[in-house]
Amino acid sequence: MDKKEILYVFGGEKSSGAEYVIENLIRHNTSVNSHLVMSPGRFYDKLSAETLPYKLAANDNLKKLNTQNSGKIKTLLLFIKSVMAINSYVYKYIKKNNITIVHTNTIVPTTYLLPVAIYSKLFWKKVKFIWSDHDITYVHGILGRLLSFIYKIYDRTIVVSNAVAKKYHDKTKLNILYNGLDPNKIIVNELSRSTFREKHNIPNNVLAFSIIGQIVDRKGVNGLIDTFRQVYPPESGVWLIIAGMPIDADSPYYAAFLQKIEDVSNIKYIGFCDNIDQFYNGADIVINNSTHTGQEPLGTTIIEGLGYSRIVMATNVGGSSEMIENSVNGFLYEDSPEALKSTLVMVKDIIENRKDEFDLMRKHARSTFIKKFELSKMSANYNTIVQSL
């Protein structure tokens, strides 16, 4: 049987976990022939420097529209121009490369490609359109209002968790596909730990909590800093490591973040992290402090933390309870400063005074990762979806 030709479409220059996870799937899944079109940017530059098992192309029309200084009419015209250009490009790409499935990742590129998806539904039935939904809510309300229309037009909607699936009343064209990571690339390594800590001037023997991701309100970074400083002042010898960048470097939230960590000796901000392996090996506890307003559909950092056998703390929002069994392979706490504070204290006590319990939790963390979030399982489940089209 000939392999299916699948065209994947990513949007936005600043890729996040949603893009990294699906790119991992594309790279790993040899059961289909894959093509990836994405916006130019840091992620594209990284991929284009590698030898890839799929075809890669960049398209400027997938960039986020720069509408900061534009009026409504100009913004609308820019949007229409971009939509027309990217649909024309994808239409030609489908014909040239005999594409049978177009898979858009996240709602923005999915919305952009609605015209060619509608055309396909009416006149080009051999080409199927599917998309991956990674969000419980959307920043822009208009995207949420388009959701039911997208669901009708696209042949299949793939969601990353039950938490995301709940927003869909009709489940007939819906599939849940948990994210997966390659266990062969997730290795607990003491040398990697020492290298990371030496690089960032973090003492090797201190207890280190860590958080990685965008420095934005919905990730609860500033709230974590406030609570951590109350519980663990510099003289406590307990550290907090923060990795990540803001979406907008001029945002008030990021300015407040920088002010909160200024001259705090036991909080280390390392900015963009280009070595995930060292980061997780260098940490003792991984925190996902997402808020109720920015619920985590299926936090990649939680999956990575489990894979590296780390104690993972996460707010009990979104899909976190689908990954963490409280007090078994990690800790769930309510979205409040009081709950965060008590969990920070409890985790330190377990690590320092209840070693057997600590070691067992780390073992359960890794086994949860292998059982539910191993990349080959994601790939096999994905191929079942694809073959059903």
Side-chain angles (χ1 to χ4, degrees):
M1 183 185 294
D2 291 338
K3 292 183 179 181
K4 291 182 181 289
E5 301 285 337
I6 302 184
L7 171 62
Y8 298 85
V9 183
F10 289 2
E13 305 98 300
K14 296 181 179 179
S15 300
S16 61
E19 285 74 32
Y20 284 102
V21 166
I22 299 298
E23 195 278 329
N24 256 336
L25 171 66
I26 298 169
R27 190 185 292 249
H28 179 84
N29 187 14
T30 58
S31 298
V32 300
N33 292 327
S34 300
H35 310 246
L36 173 57
V37 175
M38 63 190 303
S39 169
R42 178 184 284 165
F43 193 28
Y44 173 79
D45 292 342
K46 174 184 177 296
L47 294 177
S48 61
E50 301 178 28
T51 301
L52 300 170
Y54 58 85
K55 295 180 181 179
L56 177 68
N59 190 294
D60 283 338
N61 294 291
L62 290 167
K63 284 184 176 181
K64 182 179 179 181
L65 291 177
N66 185 8
T67 60
Q68 192 172 10
N69 298 313
S70 303
K72 290 183 179 179
I73 294 177
K74 187 176 180 180
T75 298
L76 179 61
L77 292 175
L78 284 170
F79 173 75
I80 293 171
K81 181 181 177 182
S82 293
V83 168
M84 290 177 63
I86 192 58
N87 276 269
S88 174
Y89 177 88
V90 168
Y91 176 85
K92 292 174 184 176
Y93 196 103
I94 291 170
K95 295 194 72 174
K96 181 180 178 181
N97 296 280
N98 297 313
I99 300 296
T100 55
I101 296 174
V102 178
H103 183 161
T104 56
N105 191 37
T106 71
I107 195 167
V108 173
T110 300
T111 303
Y112 271 38
L113 289 186
L114 271 171
V116 71
I118 293 170
Y119 178 88
S120 174
K121 199 170 188 69
L122 294 173
F123 307 111
W124 214 1
K125 296 186 183 296
K126 71 172 185 176
V127 182
K128 303 299 182 182
F129 278 71
I130 64 178
W131 75 291
S132 290
D133 187 356
H134 298 258
D135 298 299
I136 294 173
T137 58
Y138 305 109
V139 175
H140 300 293
I142 192 171
L143 296 177
R145 290 192 288 273
L146 279 171
L147 190 64
S148 60
F149 183 66
I150 289 171
Y151 189 81
K152 289 178 183 177
I153 297 300
Y154 275 69
D155 297 283
R156 197 63 56 89
T157 294
I158 299 172
V159 296
V160 297
S161 66
N162 284 294
V164 177
K166 287 178 181 177
K167 72 186 181 190
Y168 291 90
H169 301 294
D170 178 13
K171 305 275 196 299
T172 54
K173 296 193 295 181
L174 193 71
N175 290 97
I176 297 172
L177 181 69
Y178 280 143
N179 294 336
L181 298 173
D182 186 352
N184 296 316
K185 296 181 179 179
I186 297 180
I187 300 169
V188 177
N189 185 302
E190 285 301 318
L191 178 60
S192 183
R193 173 189 176 89
S194 299
T195 300
F196 175 82
R197 293 203 172 198
E198 182 178 347
K199 177 181 178 182
H200 296 290
N201 298 313
I202 301 167
N204 208 40
N205 61 340
V206 300
L207 181 65
F209 292 81
S210 68
I211 185 168
I212 183 170
Q214 293 176 335
I215 312 296
V216 292
D217 186 26
R218 62 187 178 85
K219 294 293 185 180
V221 184
N222 285 352
L224 171 61
I225 293 169
D226 290 339
T227 304
F228 182 85
R229 290 183 65 177
Q230 291 175 24
V231 179
Y232 296 119
E235 59 270 20
S236 68
V238 179
W239 284 54
L240 174 63
I241 306 169
I242 304 171
M245 296 295 290
I247 294 175
D248 178 7
D250 296 322
S251 71
Y253 190 87
Y254 187 58
F257 163 79
L258 293 175
Q259 188 174 25
K260 286 177 184 292
I261 63 172
E262 188 176 6
D263 298 324
V264 183
S265 60
N266 65 330
I267 297 181
K268 173 66 71 170
Y269 175 49
I270 66 173
F272 177 76
C273 182
D274 58 0
N275 193 318
I276 295 296
D277 179 76
Q278 286 186 6
F279 175 84
Y280 283 101
N281 273 296
D284 298 305
I285 305 103
V286 175
I287 302 175
N288 186 302
N289 198 45
S290 294
T291 66
H292 272 96
T293 54
Q295 293 186 41
E296 195 71 73
L298 198 79
T300 304
T301 61
I302 297 176
I303 298 174
E304 289 170 334
L306 294 172
Y308 279 96
S309 304
R310 291 299 178 252
I311 297 292
V312 180
M313 294 170 45
T315 43
N316 190 10
V317 298
S320 295
S321 61
E322 296 174 51
M323 297 176 278
I324 296 176
E325 187 177 355
N326 192 40
S327 300
V328 175
N329 63 351
F331 293 99
L332 293 172
Y333 58 92
E334 296 308 308
D335 179 19
S336 73
E338 295 77 18
L340 172 57
K341 183 177 181 178
S342 63
T343 307
L344 287 169
V345 172
M346 178 176 57
V347 169
K348 180 176 182 289
D349 178 61
I350 289 173
I351 292 174
E352 294 182 344
N353 302 314
R354 291 181 268 168
K355 189 177 185 304
D356 289 346
E357 185 177 342
F358 171 59
D359 290 341
L360 185 59
M361 289 187 74
R362 291 188 62 178
K363 183 179 179 180
H364 284 156
R366 178 71 181 185
S367 63
T368 299
F369 168 74
I370 295 297
K371 181 180 178 181
K372 296 181 72 173
F373 305 109
E374 203 267 338
L375 184 56
S376 64
K377 289 183 174 63
M378 181 188 186
S379 183
N381 292 336
Y382 178 77
N383 286 330
T384 300
I385 296 170
V386 165
Q387 295 303 326
S388 71
L389 294 170

